[in-house]
Amino acid sequence: MINPCARVCSLMQNTRLLSPLMGGAYPALSYIIKTRGNANASAKAKYKNIDFQFRRCDISALREVLLEHEYGFLRDTLKSIPRPLIYDIGAHIGLFAIWALSINPQADVHSIEASPNTFKILSSNVVQAQAAHLSWQAENKAAWQSNETIAFSDSSESSMSHRVDHQGKVQVAGVTLADIVEQAKERGEIDLLKVDIEGAEEAFLCTEDGKGLETVRRLVIELHPALCDTKRVTAILEKNFSKIEEIKGRKSSKPILYCQ
């Protein structure tokens, strides 16, 4: 049984967190109370001038990306590039893209997300951004070592627990690094490749010895040591980038590397 005091503390914490995104404490508190026990209950929010949707299970991601500015170290770089080409691999509901577009509205963002359920929310957010004349596209695919259709787990309890799983019941088409590099050819180099794919980073980046990374100017990647060989991933990154920095001060135990 959950301690009543802990429940109240959680309620107030989430209310404070969502208030600036939902237009005040009352709509935030009302949403939290009405959706108790429903991880997929959606709501509307706004970050800077960008409207978007989220689910209750996305609250922790909202906090990390939009309020705690987990990717804040990229702010000056994104501002300095006239029209950065960004590929967001493992896009979730598009929070990184929303943050990046708020920093540089001229950015051209391409999002890849494997979870069909999460992709529905992502697609809705893309449509709203496009209506506001922002450049953002999305595909429902899984970053992988081949184009084969792969089994994928898609838990409804946590928006962050979607990963390649040979026992999974969801079937998703794979997309390779080579596919993405080919897609980006018209624009030339990829200014920023952001990768957060729940352990599939080894399969995605290490195939053909990282071929294609030479066209990526900057890469930000979250590593998942419990799910893949991160030493192998790091070795591939060291072959292709002259500067690799681990971002410090994270609450998560999973490291983020910034490669240039």
Side-chain angles (χ1 to χ4, degrees), residues 31-49:
Y31 167 72
I32 293 167
I33 292 174
K34 289 179 180 179
T35 62
R36 179 183 171 191
N38 184 356
N40 290 305
S42 64
K44 295 180 180 179
K46 181 187 287 284
Y47 182 74
K48 303 298 176 69
N49 294 317

Side-chain angles (χ1 to χ4, degrees), residues 57-122:
C57 62
D58 302 321
I59 290 177
S60 63
L62 286 176
R63 182 186 68 249
E64 292 172 1
V65 179
L66 299 184
L67 301 177
E68 295 179 349
H69 305 295
E70 183 170 58
Y71 296 99
F73 60 92
L74 294 170
R75 185 185 303 273
D76 291 343
T77 298
L78 290 179
K79 281 184 176 181
S80 69
I81 305 172
R83 189 174 175 236
L85 177 60
I86 301 172
Y87 272 80
D88 183 7
I89 314 301
H92 186 219
I93 63 170
L95 298 175
F96 174 78
I98 290 167
W99 179 81
L101 287 164
S102 77
I103 299 300
N104 189 337
Q106 300 305 312
D108 182 9
V109 182
H110 297 254
S111 294
I112 306 291
E113 171 55 41
S115 163
N117 289 327
T118 299
F119 185 76
K120 291 176 184 177
I121 306 295
L122 171 61

